[in-house]
Every structure is written in structure tokens, then in C-alpha cells.
Amino acid sequence: MSDAYVECLVKAKTSPLAKFFKVFLMTLTVVFVLAVFVLPPLMIFGFIGAILTGGGAYFVNLYTDLEYEYLYLDKELAVDKIMAKTRRKRVVSYQLDRIEILAPIKSYRLDNYRKRQAKVKDYSIGEELQPDRRYLMFYEGGEKIVLSPSEELIKVMKNAAPRKVFSD
């Protein structure tokens, strides 16, 4: 039995609204800190406001600065979510023998699957680039997973399951 190990790290795109909200909260934090020093009668309100907006900016940054890491080992694909390069969380693990198909998102091989109602989970970069390197995976009929794997990861998975993994 050949054990292959491949890992792939992709950065998810941050939405413009999340960027705006993060900058807005940071600006409010600075304003409240300055209010503590400039307006002594409002010191308690400025201090509480600075703590609340600073905490909000921290959590917005934590949940919008995302990276996904794909780990392939022994016919299992694990997806980890890395938040702000400080916290790692195992999101899900997929068995290769339960995958129905894995193909590029615009592949003709997915034509029979396009109308299927399935729960969509997006662990990709979050945007369509030219050329589009995202892949679509149908898992046990109930899940539709969008990934952005590397060429090496696709090659190893194709060697393990040549009738389910396509690279067109």
C-alpha cells in the first residue's frame, strides 16, 4: 500500500464589506482612545467604547483573514481552516472512496451533476480567476464541495482514484 502525503495551502479572498468593517472598527477604536485623553469627563465611555470596538475589530479580523489547508494522506482529504494565521481548526475530512466525482468547475464531466440539489460548501479561494483553477467535488450525493487544490494534490488523488478524479 502506497501512502502519499500532500498538503496545499490556499488563501481565501476577503470581501470588500469585511475589509471596510475592519477598518471602520479600528478607526472607532482610535477615536475612543483619543477621547479618553482629550475629554476627561467622558473617560469611562471612551474606555468602554475602545474595548468594545477593539474587540470587535479583533474578531472581524480573525474570521475574515482565512486560509484553507488541504491535507491528503492515505486516501483521506482533510480540510483545515486557519484564521488570521494564529488559529487552526479541522473543518472536515473526506474519504476518497466516498467521492462521486472531482473535476474542474467548468468541466464537461460535471454536466450530469449540475442540476442536482446538494448542500454547497466552499473551501476555495472564493473568486473566479482566469484560468479558473477551482475544482468541484460531489461527496456521497449530499454535498457539493468547491476546492482550489494544487496540481500535485490532484495528481496524487487521481493516482489513487482514477475513475473519480479528473483534471481535464
Side-chain angles (χ1 to χ4, degrees), residues 1-5 72-76 95 160:
M1 182 156 124
S2 67
D3 292 337
Y5 175 78
Y72 176 80
L73 177 64
D74 195 26
K75 295 189 176 187
E76 180 181 32
Q95 298 295 325

Side-chain angles (χ1 to χ4, degrees), residues 69-132:
E69 183 177 44
Y70 312 131
L71 299 167
Y72 176 80
L73 177 64
D74 195 26
K75 295 189 176 187
E76 180 181 32
L77 178 68
V79 179
D80 291 348
K81 178 168 57 170
I82 302 169
M83 298 177 281
K85 295 182 177 94
T86 58
R87 294 186 180 181
R88 173 186 298 264
K89 181 180 178 185
R90 172 69 45 104
V91 178
V92 71
S93 184
Y94 298 108
Q95 298 295 325
L96 198 60
D97 57 344
R98 294 182 178 175
I99 292 174
E100 290 183 39
I101 189 168
L102 174 68
I105 204 161
K106 299 198 181 211
S107 175
Y108 69 92
R109 297 180 190 271
L110 294 171
D111 289 344
N112 294 336
Y113 296 89
R114 296 227 189 261
K115 293 182 182 175
R116 184 184 292 185
Q117 297 296 322
K119 188 175 185 179
V120 178
K121 295 183 179 178
D122 191 355
Y123 305 121
S124 69
I125 58 175
E127 65 180 330
E128 182 178 339
L129 299 175
Q130 296 300 327
D132 197 359

